Amino acid sequence: MHREFCRRGAWLLPLALAACDGPQSALDPAGHEAEAVSQLFWWMAGASLVLWVLVVGLSFYASRRREQPWPARRAARLILVCGALLPTLLLAALLVFGLRLMPVLRAPGDGLRVEVEGQQFWWRVRYVLPDGRRFETANEVRLPVGSRTEFLLTAQDVIHSFWIPSLGGKMDMIPGTTNRLVLEPTQTGRFRGACAEFCGASHALMAMSVEVMEPEAFTAWVEREAGAAAASTDEGAALFLARGCGACHTVRGTAAAGRVGPDLTHLGARPTIAAGILPNSPENIDRFIRETQAIKPAARMPSFGMLPPAESAAIATWLGSLR
Amino acid sequence: MVIRIRDKADLWTLLMPPTVWALHFLFCYLVAAVHCAKKGGINLAEPSSGASFAPLAEVRPLVAIGTAVALALIVVSAWQAWRHWGAGTEDPPHDAATPEDRQHFLGLATLLLSGLSFASVIFIALPAFLITDCR
């Protein structure tokens, strides 16, 4: 029985370790703050293991190996040292370590500012460049590697929480308040962010794609993203406006200038749609238009299943082509 | 509260160390809050550099003096409790229904509370010395 359990356990171990990396793991850090937090976590986990072994070992020793009572004086000293002095010193060391970390992690940003507003159930993302230019996007954050980007976080409706585990700790987004968070990615790559505060029916479906890029690639992306989409004047564009999508969504370069829903100007260039839920493809965009409430329950956008399939497909194709 | 050294332990002497701890916490909190509100500010209209945070260097002497006073009061309280306990001449539990045992019990409890309050006061003061500004 025991051996059987061990054999199964051995199978599970690589699986458990494999769960540590990936695009959304605080244990696989790719940012300055995440590295500090993960280092702290491993030190604490290691030290807890040592203490646990020590305590269990002592209780085993006391109950099985040595059954005579200890002299009262020695026992009192053991309790004083191991039960009071040692924990106080350990806590003091942890407190000093944590407090010394804070000024480093909270140093100001290098100039790029990203304002993110949480809404049920997506993220409005506004870039403010060091030269003062601004542009808006949604559900996607791109950052230059090696520089400190300042996030100003707020919420429109209820409390959300902004968390990119691979890059740093989480920060609440509170209506009426602006919170600051500075992240410094140290590796390029694709990551995933998530809402970390329960915010409603589709809380678990509120994610975002994060891409850390080389500075040159980032600058090129900014130049492209700040401009209007290469909006074609095909059937999809006309239908998008005719069916009223522009009342809620903005596509810069067209007459659509709604402020209720996500900006769709460069939707085709984003890796995911529906706030990190579906891979970006015209089929998925079409599905999201027709079955919005099935994919994202309680979202403010109604399902547009009443559109003729050919029309929604044309709109989806056009949106997918906005790069 | 204990203004003078008392020969007998009572509830007031027992409450002394945690009360000092609470007052020290309130003092540090108020000093930092007032200083940060008056000397710093956030201007969100300006990109990035819009936030100006007051350095904590100016509050350090105040926190240091407050902490020294609090620790001194706790040490006096502990010394007094040590005498009430009987300087360790008798071991706990002091649970007999006699005036002596009540004194010993109150003394030991106050002594232990003094230890807790001493460590806590130091923990509360540490951030002022390890964090650079009001951020």
Side-chain angles (χ1 to χ4, degrees):
Chain A
M1 185 62 197
H2 182 244
R3 185 166 293 175
E4 175 69 10
F5 179 77
C6 287
R7 222 170 28 218
R8 289 188 180 188
W11 267 99
L12 282 173
L13 189 65
L15 271 180
L17 287 176
C20 293
D21 57 13
Q24 190 186 320
S25 172
L27 299 178
D28 184 16
H32 190 56
E33 186 180 352
E35 276 159 17
V37 171
S38 115
Q39 196 189 3
L40 186 62
F41 169 77
W42 286 116
W43 270 101
M44 285 180 68
S48 315
L49 188 70
V50 170
L51 285 178
W52 182 80
V53 167
L54 212 69
V55 170
V56 172
L58 266 180
S59 68
F60 184 77
Y61 173 77
S63 61
R64 298 289 169 84
R65 296 278 161 180
R66 190 198 157 101
E67 289 171 354
Q68 304 90 347
W70 259 27
R73 285 259 154 199
R74 252 169 91 190
R77 211 178 304 142
L78 181 78
I79 290 173
L80 185 69
V81 172
C82 294
L85 280 179
L86 204 61
T88 308
L89 291 177
L90 279 176
L91 284 177
L94 276 174
L95 181 67
V96 169
F97 184 83
L99 286 172
R100 289 179 65 92
L101 216 57
M102 285 166 90
V104 185
L105 295 181
R106 293 181 175 187
D110 289 335
L112 177 66
R113 192 173 89 186
V114 185
E115 299 171 355
V116 186
E117 186 184 58
Q119 303 196 11
Q120 286 174 323
F121 302 93
W122 60 283
W123 319 80
R124 188 187 294 280
V125 180
R126 213 175 289 122
Y127 277 78
V128 183
L129 304 175
D131 59 18
R133 280 188 298 156
R134 303 163 166 257
F135 64 86
E136 189 172 310
T137 173
N139 304 326
E140 181 191 42
V141 167
R142 298 205 191 202
L143 301 172
V145 69
S147 69
R148 299 178 65 78
T149 301
E150 181 185 45
F151 288 87
L152 293 181
L153 307 170
T154 188
Q156 195 214 36
D157 35 33
V158 297
I159 298 178
H160 302 271
S161 186
F162 179 90
W163 192 24
I164 307 171
S166 308
L167 302 186
K170 67 183 85 162
M171 178 70 81
D172 274 1
M173 312 171 96
I174 300 167
T177 298
T178 302
N179 282 336
R180 262 176 98 260
L181 174 72
V182 181
L183 293 179
E184 182 182 340
T186 52
Q187 291 169 32
T188 55
R190 283 202 172 167
F191 306 102
R192 188 171 185 273
C195 180
E197 181 74 47
F198 181 74
C199 60
S202 285
H203 161 67
L205 302 174
M206 181 172 168
M208 76 187 110
S209 45
V210 179
E211 187 161 349
V212 177
M213 312 166 88
E214 294 294 344
E216 303 79 45
F218 177 76
T219 312
W221 175 78
V222 161
E223 290 310 322
R224 204 190 62 209
E225 194 76 16
S232 55
T233 45
D234 70 2
E235 190 197 351
L239 282 168
F240 185 82
L241 295 172
R243 295 292 171 258
C245 306
C248 292
H249 294 285
T250 293
V251 178
R252 292 194 297 275
T254 72
R259 299 284 306 147
V260 179
D263 186 302
L264 302 176
T265 305
H266 295 277
L267 182 69
R270 295 178 199 159
T272 57
I273 62 159
I277 300 309
L278 296 171
N280 192 354
S281 69
E283 296 76 40
N284 280 337
I285 298 176
D286 187 20
R287 217 187 118 213
F288 188 76
I289 294 172
R290 305 189 67 80
E291 303 168 18
T292 317
Q293 291 298 320
I295 294 169
K296 191 166 275 199
R300 291 183 70 186
M301 175 169 157
S303 303
F304 283 87
M306 77 295 273
L307 287 179
E311 289 194 3
S312 63
I315 293 174
T317 308
W318 176 67
L319 286 174
S321 74
L322 296 176
R323 288 178 173 274
Chain B
M1 211 55 49
V2 185
I3 311 291
R4 58 196 160 74
I5 297 295
R6 296 193 180 200
D7 295 331
K8 292 279 176 198
D10 54 28
L11 267 185
W12 294 114
T13 61
L14 179 78
L15 282 176
M16 175 80 170
T19 307
V20 171
W21 169 14
L23 290 177
H24 173 261
F25 181 84
L26 188 68
F27 172 76
C28 292
Y29 205 103
L30 284 180
V31 164
V34 170
H35 175 75
C36 288
K38 288 203 167 204
K39 298 287 172 70
I42 298 183
N43 177 7
L44 293 174
E46 266 178 64
S48 191
S49 57
S52 79
F53 297 103
L56 279 174
E58 288 173 37
V59 299
R60 277 179 199 149
L62 269 177
V63 172
I65 292 169
T67 304
V69 170
L71 290 180
L73 286 173
I74 290 172
V75 167
V76 168
S77 185
W79 171 71
Q80 184 183 254
W82 171 265
R83 284 179 33 222
H84 294 158
W85 178 36
T89 45
E90 281 179 63
D91 286 333
H94 308 292
D95 55 358
T98 61
E100 292 77 34
D101 249 24
R102 198 169 298 124
Q103 283 296 304
H104 290 158
F105 171 79
L106 282 170
L108 180 59
T110 312
L111 189 62
L112 295 177
L113 271 175
S114 301
L116 178 67
S117 305
F118 192 89
S120 303
V121 163
I122 292 176
F123 280 18
I124 287 167
L126 272 178
F129 297 93
L130 291 173
I131 291 178
T132 42
D133 58 26
C134 295
R135 210 180 310 266

